[in-house]
Each structure stands twice: as C-alpha cells, then as structure tokens.
Amino acid sequence: MDKFIIDGGERLSGSVKLQSAKNSVLPLFAASVLTDKRVTILQTPAISDALCMAQILRELGAEVTFRGGDVVIDSSNACNHEISSALTKELRSSVFMLGSLLTRFRRALIAYPGGCDIGLRPIDLHLNALKRLGVEIEERDGYIFCKCDVMRGADISLDFPSVGATENIMLAAVKAEGKTTLSGAAKEPEIVDLQNFLNGMGAKVYGAGSDVIEIEGVKTLGGVTYRPLKDRIEAGTFLIACAVCGGEVEISGINAAPVGILLHKLRENGCKIHSKNDKIIIESNGRLKCNRRIETMPFPGFPTDLQAQMTALNATCSGGALVVENLFETRFKYVPELHKMGADIEVKGRHAFVRGVERLHGASVVAGDLRGGAALVIAALGADGVSEVIDLSHIDRGYYDFQGKLKKIGANIKRVRL
C-alpha cells in the first residue's frame, strides 16, 4: 500500500497535459471485442482500471499490448464468454462487457460489477434494455447469465439517462438485426466518443450527445485506430486544485464546453477563467467565496465525479454552501476524513452543508474511493502543515502519475510505500 505525503500551502503554476478520458477508454476496450480485427486506442493511460479491463479481455482470449502510451487489442482469438468474479468485482466498467459479449458470442456470464463503494448503482436499466433486444437473463448467486439466439433491434426508453446503460445498449445493438431507437439516452461527451469509435469500425450509430440515439445494425465491424477525448474530470480536478492553492495553471487538451458548468461555479468562487481553443487558464488569488448551491445532475449538469473536489474547495471559502448529491447515495463517505483536517461539513442524507473555515490543517486521512481520494489530496495541498493520504489504490484507478503532474506545477507531494 502506498501513500502521499503532502506539505501544503504551495501556490500552483504551470501547465497540465491531460490524459485520455478514463470514462471513455473503458467502454472502448469493451467495444474492441465486437471485431476480430486489430484495434488501436491511442494515448491510453495505464491507470489501474485500464489494466484491469485489459486483463478481462485477456481472459476472453484477446491479446492486449500497451505500447508507447497506446494500447493494441487483437480479439481475433477471443473465445470465452465468461468473466471471473475476481475481476468484475474490482471494476464497475466490466458491466459494459455484457453488450459486447452478447454481440460477439450470443452468450455472457458475468458477476455483479464492483468499483468504488459510493452506492448501490443497480444495473436494472441495463438488463431490461437487453431483454428488449431479445436477450434471456437469469440472475443467480451473484452472477448474471445472458443468452440469445438472435438480437433484434427495438425501441428502448430509459427512465433515467444512465451513462452505463446507454453505452451497453449501443454495444449490444450495433450488430442486432434491424434498427434500435434509444430514447432518454445519456448525453455525456463519452457517449459521443463511443459512437465515433464504433462508426470508425463501420457501425451506423447516430444522435449521440442528444437524448435519442439510433443504431442501425450491421453485419460486420472492422478494425480502427482511434484517439479518445481528453479527461474532463481530470481537467476539473486540476482546475479545482489551483483554485484551492492559488496561482495560475493552464490545462491543455480540452475546450470549455465539456466543463462549462464547472467553470461557471469556479467563477462564482471568484476565480478568473480564460479559455481558447483547447486550453483553459485559471487564476486564483486570495480567499474565495462559497458556492451557494452545487447539485449533481446528468450532463450537462454538474458532474458527480467532481462533487467531492468542489466540496473540498468550499471547505475553505468564505460563507456557506449546500451540496446536493442526486446520483449516488453514499458519495459523502470522504467527509469524515475532511473533518480530521478541520473542515466544518454536516451531512444529512444526500445533502452536505459546508461552512467555510479560514484554513484546513494537515492530518492523516484515508482515500476510500476515487474522487473522494482526489478531494483529500486537493484539501491537503491547500492545508497548513503536512498531510498523509493513505491507500492510493482508488486514486490510481482514475489518475495516471497524479503526483508527478502535481509536482510539475509546484505541489510539494511525494509518494512512498507504507
């Protein structure tokens, strides 16, 4: 087990180059099973979630090679439709494999997916949609058994714009007979990225980024070389870190549109934001003001994956903030760790009431999930004194060389083995 040792109080300055989006890359891994041709995904970060997804593909019989920052996937010899519980329980995104396995093998056996402990995250939307496509599903002893002789296009309507369900339906319907119309689809940029990837393989998917996606089934899919979009959550994490610490930081590789709601909130705090083409520059000086209200919503609303980081920011702003978490019922698990640093935050169900304090102080805290862990790092960067952030396994799931990028812009942070 590793930990970060952070000596807080340093202003940040410099430029951050973003990695490809974690939430885009993982569905692309799953989509690679749809073809027996070679797939190359460029600039893929070797985060632990990507490594776990690669191991899942290897268990299916695919060859996966990380090469110079890219990943090459050859699924021509894939023959296994079962995924071990040891891997699925480590990775929530393993649920994407249902659609891909059914398309490729007409069979799938998968344990209930795991990942961060931030709530129940039921997959009923996924399973009900697959049934509409003609899939027979049996749930038993923690496993999901799926089979079908033929998948046929259907009209599917989601009660909630689930990103995972939207992507799973796209993967399942891409070679189904006929046309699938998905209403109530999620609109996240990562959905558009998956559409572009699939269409690069020869699929016919239209409408991603809107709430209606149409998928015309095709007979075969080919190989593709594809560069995923940059990680808007990583961008937001570094923008918030600069807001907390003060200074001026340039984020390169992303324009303002995917993080528009965050930029609005940071301006509310008192930060100066400049954006042009694929660069965003943030300036932060002096004590900031609390946001009156932050409420997580599906895109283009405020992302749940930045809620913890913004709560850490508001913990040292003047005034008070109300943070409402609408997507995951236990996403405030990091708050007791912020209390150890002197934060004044009261959690009631899905609401957190933040009363800003002058400064946080160093403490030893534990990262219990990915984004909560990032929030603790941000809080430690702005705190007085030395902090330890213990158990980096969750942080490693979504951030590649986190400490290296932070050091490059002036943070006093080092990673050590416990």
Side-chain angles (χ1 to χ4, degrees):
M1 184 185 296
D2 289 1
K3 68 178 179 181
F4 287 145
I5 299 177
I6 301 169
D7 193 351
E10 300 291 338
R11 289 172 64 85
L12 303 182
S13 177
S15 180
V16 175
K17 291 184 178 180
L18 298 175
Q19 66 191 31
S20 293
K22 164 189 177 291
N23 292 335
S24 184
V25 165
L26 300 181
L28 303 190
F29 270 68
S32 70
V33 177
L34 299 172
T35 179
D36 57 5
K37 306 300 183 183
R38 181 171 295 181
V39 168
T40 301
I41 306 173
L42 302 174
Q43 296 183 356
T44 301
I47 53 176
S48 61
D49 269 11
L51 298 176
C52 185
M53 199 68 167
Q55 190 56 37
I56 288 174
L57 296 184
R58 292 186 182 111
E59 283 203 356
L60 300 177
E63 295 181 10
V64 184
T65 306
F66 286 82
R67 184 184 301 161
D70 305 331
V71 63
V72 180
I73 304 170
D74 184 347
S75 297
S76 58
N77 293 321
C79 58
N80 180 22
H81 65 270
E82 301 181 8
I83 303 176
S84 69
S85 61
L87 288 171
T88 58
K89 289 178 180 177
E90 288 296 317
L91 182 63
R92 173 69 182 177
S93 298
S94 59
V95 73
F96 298 130
M97 297 306 302
L98 274 178
S100 295
L101 291 176
L102 285 164
T103 296
R104 179 72 181 267
F105 303 113
R106 296 295 187 258
R107 298 287 186 274
L109 189 157
I110 185 172
Y112 273 95
C116 286
D117 182 16
I118 54 174
L120 296 175
R121 301 196 284 188
I123 61 170
D124 291 351
L125 290 174
H126 302 245
L127 303 184
N128 290 335
L130 292 175
K131 290 176 183 177
R132 291 280 298 147
L133 295 171
V135 178
E136 297 178 23
I137 298 173
E138 181 181 356
E139 301 173 64
R140 186 176 70 244
D141 300 328
Y143 281 84
I144 305 166
F145 301 81
C146 301
K147 65 178 182 178
C148 63
D149 294 325
V150 178
M151 281 199 290
R152 292 186 172 87
D155 291 338
I156 299 171
S157 181
L158 293 179
D159 294 331
F160 177 83
S162 162
V163 173
T166 298
E167 292 174 330
N168 222 344
I169 294 163
M170 293 167 69
L171 294 169
V174 71
K175 293 173 73 175
E177 292 184 1
K179 179 179 177 180
T180 297
T181 300
L182 172 60
S183 302
K187 303 176 185 178
E188 273 72 1
E190 293 79 14
I191 304 290
V192 179
D193 221 28
L194 178 58
Q195 172 184 273
N196 294 341
F197 182 84
L198 291 171
N199 288 347
M201 298 167 72
K204 296 181 179 179
V205 184
Y206 312 98
S210 74
D211 60 359
V212 178
I213 298 176
E214 296 183 342
I215 306 149
E216 296 180 15
V218 298
K219 294 289 187 182
T220 61
L221 293 172
V224 67
T225 296
Y226 189 79
R227 188 183 305 276
L229 56 76
K230 297 301 182 182
D231 198 318
R232 62 192 172 97
I233 305 303
E234 185 193 26
T237 299
F238 280 97
L239 289 167
I240 296 167
C242 181
V244 168
C245 296
E248 181 176 335
V249 170
E250 177 188 88
I251 308 296
S252 63
I254 192 169
N255 61 41
V259 289
I261 187 65
L262 172 66
L263 300 185
H264 171 70
K265 292 297 180 184
L266 290 172
R267 290 188 177 104
E268 266 185 9
N269 293 128
C271 297
K272 295 180 180 179
I273 308 286
H274 311 277
S275 62
K276 185 176 181 180
N277 299 328
D278 67 343
K279 290 182 172 59
I280 300 172
I281 299 173
I282 181 171
E283 297 178 50
S284 174
N285 294 289
R287 193 178 183 203
L288 301 176
K289 299 175 292 185
C290 274
N291 303 107
R292 289 186 178 180
R293 184 184 182 94
I294 296 173
E295 184 167 3
T296 63
M297 300 289 286
F299 188 85
F302 194 89
T304 182
D305 280 350
L306 289 175
Q307 177 258 100
Q309 299 92 311
M310 281 300 283
T311 302
L313 165 60
N314 278 272
T316 55
C317 291
S318 62
L322 171 63
V323 182
V324 183
E325 174 56 56
N326 289 311
L327 302 183
F328 298 118
E329 65 273 11
T330 60
R331 194 140 213 180
F332 289 118
K333 282 189 170 183
Y334 63 89
V335 168
E337 302 302 302
L338 287 179
H339 289 163
K340 296 177 184 178
M341 306 176 76
D344 185 356
I345 304 171
E346 181 182 3
V347 176
K348 291 184 177 180
R350 292 177 179 262
H351 297 74
F353 303 89
V354 185
R355 289 172 284 272
V357 299
E358 189 73 30
R359 298 280 287 184
L360 299 180
H361 56 75
S364 180
V365 294
V366 178
D369 67 81
L370 169 55
R371 306 307 177 183
L376 296 177
V377 171
I378 288 172
L381 290 172
D384 287 332
V386 177
S387 297
E388 294 181 327
V389 180
I390 299 170
D391 189 359
L392 306 183
S393 60
H394 291 292
I395 294 174
D396 290 341
R397 290 185 50 236
Y399 298 94
Y400 183 70
D401 192 26
F402 198 25
Q403 73 280 2
K405 290 183 177 181
L406 286 168
K407 285 181 70 172
K408 188 177 178 182
I409 57 175
N412 190 339
I413 179 174
K414 60 181 178 180
R415 182 173 182 142
V416 300
R417 174 79 58 178
L418 280 172

